[in-house]
Amino acid sequence: MTSIPIFRTVADMRAQVQDWRTDGLSVGLVPTMGGLHAGHMALVKAAVKKADRVIATIFVNPTQFGAGEDLDSYPRTEDADVAMIAQAGGAGVFVPSVSEMYPEGFATRVEVDGLTNVLCGGTRPGHFNGVTQIVSKLLNQSQPDMAFFGEKDWQQLAVIRRMARDLDIPVQILGVATVRDEYGLALSSRNGYLSAAEIDVARQFNVILKKAAYAIGTGGIASEECNIAAEALLAAGFQKIDYIECRDSDSLEPVERLESQSCRIFGAAFLGKARLIDNHLVA
Ligand code: PAF
């Protein structure tokens, strides 16, 4: 089995990245919260293709979880995660503690306005502030040439791109296509909260969203198609719909009819102990 270094402190991780840079190597960063699956591996593999050295991070970031969310039960599987990262070609893993990332007296916020008030930001207040706080720290700490994020969390990707642009962080933010199971269910660490029967229901999420995306793409009115999709999800067995909305891919402004813009249908819905999200291009 390939073994790769695990860095627990910012100083150790930085020293390694600086050595790579001195040797003229490009560096790719793959931030994760662990609980890794094939979707994360696609990020590492995409990074390995583009960068000379890839460092993945594993940190369950407490500041992006709201009260009553799954911070305590979020999967923590460090040994298996490190083995998977090594297998996929990662050159190192950064696994800091909470006190390493948020030392006593930590007081700084990073907030992207606008993009974070809609979709998941509407029902998970403060979530994206936690994401931008931790991702800006990881980017500053490692100073990679590029950083990779999954398109399943499309809004997160849009927020991080905007943050990097607004703060002139010298990094390329790259999105990687969602990895799905053979029925089209987007892979997610939170799928692990579902029973076998619930997984069958969850597989309808992608089917229903894609149907709505097709209807909007062929002239349907977005709000009507989103309502139809929400009803279909409830009928399929989802307990509650958080949102089903069609929005511009970059600005995340609402879209009612597909014209020349690029837009996507976004969904979040509750099933058993999980809140699932997904999105599809409307074309
Ligand atoms: O997408 C995730 O797993 C997290 O939000 C991230 C980007 C690693 C920040 O904690």
Side-chain angles (χ1 to χ4, degrees), residues 1-281:
M1 202 174 73
T2 337
S3 94
I4 52 172
I6 300 176
F7 307 105
R8 307 259 173 210
T9 65
V10 175
D12 286 350
M13 186 266 289
R14 262 202 177 137
Q16 173 65 85
V17 173
Q18 256 152 28
D19 280 354
W20 288 333
R21 289 200 165 286
T22 308
D23 291 343
L25 300 170
S26 63
V27 178
L29 181 79
V30 179
T32 83
M33 296 204 300
L36 302 189
H37 50 66
H40 297 106
M41 288 311 99
L43 299 181
V44 178
K45 285 179 190 160
V48 167
K49 268 200 190 147
K50 287 215 160 225
D52 296 320
R53 293 289 180 274
V54 171
I55 187 138
T57 72
I58 300 175
F59 181 65
V60 184
N61 174 35
T63 69
Q64 69 186 78
F65 288 79
E69 290 190 347
D70 55 345
L71 173 62
D72 292 337
S73 54
Y74 201 85
R76 285 160 173 87
T77 51
E78 182 182 313
D79 292 349
D81 292 347
V82 172
M84 285 171 80
I85 292 163
Q87 178 92 37
V93 193
F94 179 43
V95 193
S97 63
V98 172
S99 59
E100 180 73 8
M101 295 308 261
Y102 298 113
E104 189 71 26
F106 188 93
T108 301
R109 289 175 201 208
V110 181
E111 182 167 350
V112 174
D113 206 4
L115 290 180
T116 59
N117 300 334
V118 299
L119 300 172
C120 290
T123 42
R124 299 186 71 193
H127 166 68
F128 287 113
N129 293 349
V131 170
T132 45
Q133 186 177 51
I134 197 66
V135 173
S136 58
K137 280 174 69 70
L138 291 168
L139 293 174
N140 279 331
Q141 290 162 347
S142 59
Q143 305 193 350
D145 298 280
M146 41 202 131
F148 296 78
F149 299 88
E151 291 184 351
K152 180 175 80 66
D153 298 291
W154 187 275
Q155 184 177 13
Q156 169 172 280
L157 179 60
V159 168
I160 290 169
R161 277 206 172 110
R162 184 69 62 87
M163 175 191 75
R165 190 203 72 177
D166 288 357
L167 296 181
D168 303 306
I169 303 177
V171 65
Q172 227 186 322
I173 302 294
L174 296 165
V176 176
T178 305
V179 178
R180 300 176 180 278
D181 75 4
E182 71 261 47
Y183 300 93
L185 173 64
L187 299 193
S188 162
S189 308
R190 291 183 168 109
N191 293 351
Y193 302 156
L194 300 173
S195 67
E198 287 166 344
I199 288 279
D200 283 342
V201 175
R203 287 180 169 144
Q204 289 304 306
F205 198 12
N206 157 70
V207 174
I208 291 167
L209 279 187
K210 256 168 84 176
K211 197 169 164 197
Y214 177 79
I216 300 165
T218 50
I221 296 171
S223 53
E224 288 174 10
E225 299 305 333
C226 290
N227 285 340
I228 293 170
E231 288 303 322
L233 286 169
L234 291 172
F238 279 83
Q239 275 104 33
K240 197 172 128 201
I241 307 304
D242 191 341
Y243 59 77
I244 306 290
E245 292 178 26
C246 181
R247 288 183 175 261
D248 183 275
S249 304
D250 300 316
S251 68
L252 303 185
E253 287 294 323
V255 168
E256 193 57 348
R257 272 188 188 279
L258 178 67
E259 283 160 10
S260 57
Q261 76 283 57
S262 161
C263 64
R264 304 186 80 83
I265 185 160
F266 296 89
F270 294 90
L271 177 62
K273 291 197 181 76
R275 176 182 176 278
L276 302 181
I277 63 170
D278 201 354
N279 69 88
H280 280 284
L281 180 69

